[in-house]
């Protein structure tokens, strides 16, 4: 994003050395990893933090009868504080560990939705959402007699704010919107979306899965009611995510799942529940994952994130310039505000075939509908080829992509 410009300091080549997986050959070619929107690679510091935990501290948390349990708990809760600072949450108790973005949204839909929605209520979601920000709302809406309505997306892949404004009324109870579209790369004006939702008394949930890995997110500045993301797209381990929520909302919401850890006391006469964040964390959590995510946050905080964002923006514009100069390539998603995703079609070729031929040349991309079927349908396509960048990618990676596309074309077109 432009206000973060600091082009001098960022050294992608040096940063690459922190990611051991990048240093390998695939199908006889040096790996070019351009599937970062699906999952990011992990720096050595994250891998080592997990190894250290299992080698030295492995124990269950919050049951501190011995030294290992104390150390594990300290690291686990320390990571919560790191993540709270990372997104500028007012308090660590507003950071709830989940299994990922998907579970964070399901938690809000089930807990808040079940206790607040009624027949006739409306939930608005942008038409470019990932399925995980559509289907949980459909499930709860069906149960409650509410409706889920798509906010239109313009031809360039940006949200239609005028149409959104026209849809808002006092029956809208919640607006769910991605910060960045995984299928198109569009950066949505989520601050406006939140403000407009609040103006009619609706809550706003922002899906930050594709944003947190690219720039510093400030949940207080956004004023969103809920913000969700996944560790594995933030250079941390899989199977873990974060739900941030405003304290008064989280406090008022009923538990999502029952079990150990989330209770204060249990009896057959009646059970009382634990405080935040534990009320929403039933069962033994992914302790090693949380510690790994803490290490990922440390890693990101220690690097020049503003420089990384500028580097990524430069990579995207270089890739898009090359695509525009290449006959037969059509970019899908041309919004002015984009980050790190180039979705495209090669004329006359099925995206899956393109992906296979790129893989044979060591270039890893994603193909298909990217779990965003409604927006693909709007564009009249079944899917795209998606190259998605991170700060450890280089111009040489983009050059390799286009060389591989040239070769693929000889087979396909
Ligand atoms: N939302 C967006 C925008 C995504 O890109 C993804 C994953 O691709 C998700 C949600 C789901 O994330 P997870 O599978 O980690 O729960």
């Amino acid at each position: 994003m432009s206000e973060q410009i600091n082009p001098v300091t960022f050294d992608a080549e040096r940063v690459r050395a922190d990611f051991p997986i990048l240093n390998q050959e695939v199908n006889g070619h040096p790996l070019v990893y351009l599937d970062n929107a699906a999952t990011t690679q992990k720096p050595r510091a994250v891998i080592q933090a997990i190894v250290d935990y299992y080698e030295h501290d492995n124990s269950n948390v919050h049951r501190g009868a011995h030294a290992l349990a104390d150390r594990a708990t300290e690291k686990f809760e320390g990571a919560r504080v790191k993540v709270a600072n990372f997104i500028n949450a007012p308090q660590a108790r507003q950071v709830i560990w989940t299994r990922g973005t998907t579970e964070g949204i399901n938690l809000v839909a089930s807990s808040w939705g079940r206790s607040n929605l009624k027949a006739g209520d409306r939930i608005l979601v942008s038409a470019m959402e990932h399925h995980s920000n559509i289907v949980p709302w459909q499930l709860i809406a069906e149960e409650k007699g509410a409706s889920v309505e798509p906010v239109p997306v313009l031809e360039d892949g940006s949200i239609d704010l005028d149409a959104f404004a026209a849809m808002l009324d006092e029956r809208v109870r919640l607006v769910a919107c991605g910060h960045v579209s995984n299928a198109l790369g569009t950066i949505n004006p989520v601050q406006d979306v939140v403000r407009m939702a609040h103006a009619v008394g609706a809550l706003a949930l922002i899906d930050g899965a594709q944003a947190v890995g690219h720039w510093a997110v400030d949940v207080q500045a956004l004023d969103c009611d809920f913000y969700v993301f996944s560790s594995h797209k933030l250079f941390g381990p899989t199977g873990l995510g974060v739900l941030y929520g405003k304290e008064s909302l989280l406090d008022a919401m009923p538990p999502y799942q029952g079990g150990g850890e989330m209770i204060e006391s249990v009896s057959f006469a009646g059970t009382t529940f634990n405080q935040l964040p534990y009320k929403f964390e039933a069962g033994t959590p992914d302790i090693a994952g949380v510690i790994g995510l803490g290490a990922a946050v440390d890693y990101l905080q220690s690097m020049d994130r503003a420089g990384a964002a500028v580097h990524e923006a430069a990579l995207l514009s270089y890739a898009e310039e090359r695509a525009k100069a290449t006959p037969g390539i059509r970019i899908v998603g041309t919004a002015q505000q984009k980050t790190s995703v180039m979705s495209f079609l090669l004329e006359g070729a099925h995206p899956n075939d393109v992906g296979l031929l790129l893989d044979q040349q060591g270039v890893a991309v994603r193909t298909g509908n990217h779990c965003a079927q409604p927006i693909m349908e709007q564009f009249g396509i079944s899917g795209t080829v998606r190259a998605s960048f991170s700060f450890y990618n280089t111009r040489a990676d983009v050059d390799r992509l286009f060389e591989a596309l040239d070769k693929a074309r000889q087979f396909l077109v």
Side-chain angles (χ1 to χ4, degrees):
M1 298 177 89
S2 56
E3 65 272 19
Q4 296 175 317
I5 284 179
N6 180 9
V8 186
T9 46
F10 193 75
D11 183 350
E13 285 297 346
R14 197 190 55 69
V15 165
R16 279 178 80 77
D18 296 336
F19 292 80
I21 202 170
L22 297 175
N23 185 24
Q24 66 172 293
E25 293 206 338
V26 168
N27 294 323
H29 301 270
L31 169 66
V32 172
Y33 185 77
L34 298 178
D35 195 17
N36 294 288
T39 198
T40 52
Q41 298 302 349
K42 320 307 171 199
R44 198 174 278 103
V46 168
I47 300 165
Q48 195 55 48
I50 295 168
V51 171
D52 282 349
Y53 166 70
Y54 279 125
E55 284 188 349
H56 303 292
D57 306 322
N58 178 47
S59 186
N60 214 326
V61 288
H62 305 139
R63 319 219 169 124
H66 53 80
L68 266 58
D70 287 344
R71 290 209 300 264
T73 304
E74 201 174 304
K75 284 189 167 180
F76 180 82
E77 290 303 330
R80 200 190 301 272
V81 173
K82 288 176 192 180
V83 169
N85 292 336
F86 183 68
I87 58 171
N88 195 29
Q91 301 175 78
R93 69 200 298 266
Q94 291 168 267
V95 168
I96 316 291
W97 303 125
T98 64
R99 284 190 300 116
T101 307
T102 304
E103 192 180 44
I105 298 168
N106 275 281
L107 191 163
V108 177
S110 296
S111 172
W112 176 85
R114 191 160 291 128
S115 50
N116 285 281
L117 290 172
K118 57 183 189 319
D121 284 348
R122 302 168 68 210
I123 296 164
L124 306 187
V125 303
S126 98
M128 72 181 97
E129 293 310 303
H130 188 280
H131 296 161
S132 65
N133 206 13
I134 300 174
V135 183
W137 304 117
Q138 288 177 326
L139 292 172
I140 194 67
E142 190 169 9
E143 189 182 312
K144 292 291 186 172
S147 62
V148 178
E149 299 168 36
V151 176
V153 167
L154 299 167
E155 267 304 287
D156 67 353
S158 60
I159 197 162
D160 185 341
L161 280 181
D162 292 335
F164 176 49
M167 291 172 83
L168 287 167
D169 64 22
E170 72 290 345
R171 284 189 305 133
V172 176
R173 301 294 311 284
L174 184 133
V175 177
C177 183
H179 204 159
V180 172
S181 156
N182 66 307
L184 308 174
T186 310
I187 302 173
N188 285 316
V190 287
Q191 214 152 352
D192 294 333
V193 169
V194 171
R195 186 180 38 77
M196 290 163 77
H198 286 172
V200 293
L203 300 183
L205 176 142
I206 305 301
D207 170 355
Q210 296 293 343
V212 281
H214 297 295
W215 66 79
V217 166
D218 180 337
V219 290
Q220 293 190 71
L222 292 177
D223 195 27
C224 52
D225 299 289
F226 302 104
Y227 196 94
V228 287
F229 57 95
S230 301
S231 154
H232 71 98
K233 295 180 197 286
L234 188 62
F235 313 96
T238 51
L240 175 71
V242 169
L243 162 66
Y244 156 82
K246 284 191 176 159
E247 190 179 23
S248 56
L249 291 167
L250 293 174
D251 267 334
M253 280 159 53
Y256 170 53
Q257 292 179 331
E261 203 71 24
M262 51 74 70
I263 51 86
E264 186 181 63
S265 78
V266 177
S267 89
F268 288 106
T271 289
T272 55
F273 304 122
N274 208 337
Q275 296 184 338
L276 290 178
Y278 312 112
K279 180 173 77 173
F280 293 113
E281 294 179 357
T284 299
D286 181 357
I287 304 164
V290 165
I291 290 168
L293 177 59
V297 165
D298 283 343
Y299 178 82
L300 290 168
Q301 304 279 41
S302 74
M303 77 189 288
D304 171 15
R305 285 205 93 194
V310 173
H311 169 73
E312 288 177 10
L315 276 185
L316 180 64
S317 45
Y318 178 55
E320 292 195 338
E321 268 164 37
R322 289 209 56 169
K324 282 177 200 149
T326 309
I329 290 190
R330 174 184 150 206
I331 296 177
V332 179
T334 53
Q336 289 238 309
Q337 298 293 324
K338 279 185 67 173
T339 190
S340 302
V341 167
M342 183 174 80
S343 238
F344 63 96
L345 293 167
L346 191 59
E347 210 171 56
H350 193 284
N352 293 357
D353 296 334
V354 178
L356 278 174
L357 287 166
L358 294 183
D359 181 50
Q360 282 173 14
Q361 301 173 73
V363 178
V365 295
R366 179 73 167 251
T367 61
N369 62 42
H370 315 298
C371 298
Q373 276 181 6
I375 196 64
M376 294 293 134
E377 210 169 287
Q378 174 176 330
F379 286 123
I381 54 181
S382 63
T384 68
V385 183
R386 182 185 71 187
S388 53
F389 306 102
S390 185
F391 48 69
Y392 44 60
N393 290 121
T394 61
R395 278 170 77 96
D397 289 344
V398 176
D399 291 337
R400 282 277 310 283
L401 167 68
F402 280 90
E403 277 162 33
L405 279 170
D406 268 351
K407 285 209 183 118
R409 188 204 300 273
Q410 289 162 24
F411 288 98
L412 291 170
V413 184

